[in-house]
C-alpha cells in the first residue's frame, strides 16, 4: 500500500462517524500486539483515548498475520485483530506484516507520523529502521521484573523456576532484546498453584494500569528522563518453549515437575508415559497421558518407591519422584479424550495397576 493511499484512508478514518472518532491534533499512537493477553492493553488504550481531554488516539494497530489455530485449523485473524474489528476499528488501519522491517509496512507507518508505539506481546523483532519512526519512542509492556526473564516466555520460565515474585515492567524498546530503560514496574506475589495462562492475564492487566498511569509522563518526555537503565549483569533469558521440553521425568523431584506443569499449562502442555499392568495375565500397556493439574504431596514419611507404583490417595494419583518426593496428579487427559479428574481415571482402569515410567 502506497503512503499516499494510506494518508487518504487515514483522513477518511478521522472523519468517520464511529466510536473511534478522534479529536483534532491528538497524538498518534500505534498499538502492537497479537495474542489474547494483549487485548487488555489495547482496551485500556481505547478507553483512555475516548476521554474528552485525552491527548492521543489509537491511529493504527499492528499485529501478526492471520494463522491457522483452534481445532478447526481455520485461518483466523490474531486475537488482537479480531477484537479490534469487533469493536468497530477500521480494518484498513490494522496492519499484519510478516516482519516489522518490511519496506511497504514502514512506508505506511511513516505516513501515519506516530508519536508513540506501544507493544504488548507483539511477537516480532523490531529493527532499528522501525524504532527510528515514532518521535517519542516505542514502549513495551513486559510481564517480568526486568532485567529478569528477557525474551519470549518470561511468565512460563519464571513459573518453571518456581519464583515467589514476578511483575510487569514498562520499558523503552531498544535494538537489544528487552534491554531498554525501565520507566516503571509493578510487583506481583506468585501463588504456588497459579498456572501460566492465569498469571499472564494478571500481569498484562497490571501492565495496562501501569501504562495508563505513565502515559502522561511518556507524552511529556519526563518518562525518558526518569527511566532507569537495566543492570545487564543481572539479566536472565526466557527462551521460547519447545514441544520437546513437554515430557516429565519422574526421576526429578516433585517440585520441579509441579512447576513445569504450571509453566507449560497453556502450551505445549506436559506429558508423561505410564504403564498399565493387568494383574491377571500380566499384560503391559504403555500409555501417554497429558498432565494438567498437580500439587506436591506434603507427607513427611514418604519413602523411596522401589516398584514405581502409582496409587490413588484422597482423589489424587500419587507418583513417586526423585529424592523420595511425591507428585500428586489431580487432572489428566488421555489421547483423544477429554480431561478427567484422578478418581475418574482410576475408576476406568478396571483393576489394572499403574506404574510410572
Amino acid at each position: 500500500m502506497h503512503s499516499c493511499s494510506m494518508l487518504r484512508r487515514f483522513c477518511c478514518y478521522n472523519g468517520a462517524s464511529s466510536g473511534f472518532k478522534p479529536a483534532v491534533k491528538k497524538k498518534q499512537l500505534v498499538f502492537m500486539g497479537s495474542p489474547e493477553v494483549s487485548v487488555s492493553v489495547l482496551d485500556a488504550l481505547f478507553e483512555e483515548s475516548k476521554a474528552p481531554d485525552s491527548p492521543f488516539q489509537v491511529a493504527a494497530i499492528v499485529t501478526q498475520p492471520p494463522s491457522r489455530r483452534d481445532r478447526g485449523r481455520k485461518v483466523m485473524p490474531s486475537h488482537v485483530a479480531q477484537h479490534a474489528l469487533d469493536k468497530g476499528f477500521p480494518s484498513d488501519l490494522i496492519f499484519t506484516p510478516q516482519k516489522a522491517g518490511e519496506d511497504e509496512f514502514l512506508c505506511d507507518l511513516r505516513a501515519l507520523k506516530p508519536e508513540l508505539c506501544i507493544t504488548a506481546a507483539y511477537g516480532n523483532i523490531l529493527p532499528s529502521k522501525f524504532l527510528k519512526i515514532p518521535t517519542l519512542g516505542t514502549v513495551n509492556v513486559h510481564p517480568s521484573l526486568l532485567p529478569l526473564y528477557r525474551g519470549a516466555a518470561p511468565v512460563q520460565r519464571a513459573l518453571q523456576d518456581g519464583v515467589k515474585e514476578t511483575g510487569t515492567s514498562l520499558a523503552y524498546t531498544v535494538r537489544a532484546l528487552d534491554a531498554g530503560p525501565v520507566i516503571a514496574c509493578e510487583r506481583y506475589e506468585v501463588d504456588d498453584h497459579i498456572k501460566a495462562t492465569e498469571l499472564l492475564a494478571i500481569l498484562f492487566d497490571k501492565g495496562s494500569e501501569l501504562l495508563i498511569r505513565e502515559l502522561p509522563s511518556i507524552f511529556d518526555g519526563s518518562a525518558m528522563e526518569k527511566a532507569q537503565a537495566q543492570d545487564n549483569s543481572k539479566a536472565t533469558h526466557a527462551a521460547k518453549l519447545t514441544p520437546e521440553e513437554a515430557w516429565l521425568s519422574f526421576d526429578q523431584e516433585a517440585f520441579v515437575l509441579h512447576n513445569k506443569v504450571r509453566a507449560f499449562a497453556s502450551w505445549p502442555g506436559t506429558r508423561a508415559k505410564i504403564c498399565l499392568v493387568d494383574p491377571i495375565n500380566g499384560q503391559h500397556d504403555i500409555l501417554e497421558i497429558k498432565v494438567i493439574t498437580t500439587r506436591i504431596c506434603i507427607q513427611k514419611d514418604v519413602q523411596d518407591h522401589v516398584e514405581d507404583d502409582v496409587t490413588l490417595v484422597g482423589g489424587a494419583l500419587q507418583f513417586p519422584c526423585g529424592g523420595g518426593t511425591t507428585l500428586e496428579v489431580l487432572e489428566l487427559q488421555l489421547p483423544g479424550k477429554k480431561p478427567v479428574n484422578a478418581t475418574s481415571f482410576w475408576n476406568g482402569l478396571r483393576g489394572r495397576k499403574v506404574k510410572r515410567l
Side-chain angles (χ1 to χ4, degrees), residues 72-85:
R73 304 303 293 161
K74 293 180 181 177
V75 176
M76 300 173 70
S78 75
H79 286 284
V80 160
Q82 188 59 60
H83 184 76
L85 291 169

Side-chain angles (χ1 to χ4, degrees), residues 53-175:
D53 58 346
S54 173
F56 76 93
Q57 64 174 346
V58 179
I61 292 170
V62 185
T63 188
Q64 292 282 3
S67 62
R68 296 186 185 278
R69 57 183 168 89
D70 298 336
R71 286 189 176 273
R73 304 303 293 161
K74 293 180 181 177
V75 176
M76 300 173 70
S78 75
H79 286 284
V80 160
Q82 188 59 60
H83 184 76
L85 291 169
D86 292 344
K87 287 273 191 177
F89 195 82
S91 60
D92 282 354
L93 295 172
I94 299 174
F95 297 94
T96 59
Q98 289 288 345
K99 293 185 177 181
E102 292 176 9
D103 290 339
E104 187 178 328
F105 164 66
L106 292 177
C107 181
D108 281 343
L109 187 66
R110 287 189 194 98
L112 283 172
K113 298 183 179 178
E115 273 96 338
L116 179 67
C117 289
I118 299 292
T119 60
Y122 169 48
N124 216 325
I125 299 295
L126 301 179
S128 298
K129 54 187 177 179
F130 173 97
L131 296 174
K132 291 175 182 176
I133 295 174
T135 53
L136 292 172
T138 297
V139 172
N140 182 39
V141 179
H142 186 78
S144 83
L145 296 174
L146 292 170
L148 301 178
Y149 299 103
R150 295 174 178 174
V155 170
Q156 295 89 332
R157 296 303 184 187
L159 286 179
Q160 189 177 6
D161 289 346
V163 300
K164 300 299 182 186
E165 184 185 58
T166 186
T168 306
S169 299
L170 203 60
Y172 284 103
T173 301
V174 296
R175 193 67 186 92

Side-chain angles (χ1 to χ4, degrees), residues 204-329:
F204 275 101
D205 281 346
K206 288 190 170 295
S208 305
E209 297 168 4
L210 196 62
L211 173 63
I212 297 305
R213 194 164 74 226
E214 294 295 334
L215 266 180
S217 68
I218 294 170
F219 283 132
D220 70 20
S222 59
M224 184 67 81
E225 295 173 12
K226 73 175 182 178
Q228 297 291 308
Q230 295 185 39
D231 184 347
N232 291 328
S233 69
K234 294 180 180 177
T236 59
H237 182 59
K240 187 177 179 180
L241 305 185
T242 66
E244 292 75 26
E245 294 179 87
W247 291 99
L248 300 179
S249 170
F250 294 109
D251 292 334
Q252 294 182 303
E253 293 192 25
F255 78 91
V256 175
L257 303 181
H258 174 61
N259 288 339
K260 183 182 247 190
V261 171
R262 297 161 61 212
F264 286 45
S266 54
W267 187 90
T270 41
R271 302 185 179 279
K273 288 184 179 179
I274 58 175
C275 182
L276 303 185
V277 182
D278 190 323
I280 298 174
N281 58 22
Q283 182 178 339
H284 289 59
D285 290 321
I286 306 299
L287 196 63
E288 179 186 314
I289 61 172
K290 184 175 182 180
V291 179
I292 297 174
T293 306
T294 59
R295 68 184 177 212
I296 300 166
C297 182
I298 57 173
Q299 289 175 239
K300 302 298 183 184
D301 58 348
V302 176
Q303 303 296 316
D304 286 335
H305 296 257
V306 178
E307 296 189 24
D308 297 332
D309 283 348
V310 176
T311 55
L312 182 74
V313 179
L317 293 168
Q318 292 195 345
F319 281 77
C321 300
T325 61
T326 301
L327 182 71
E328 295 190 331
V329 174

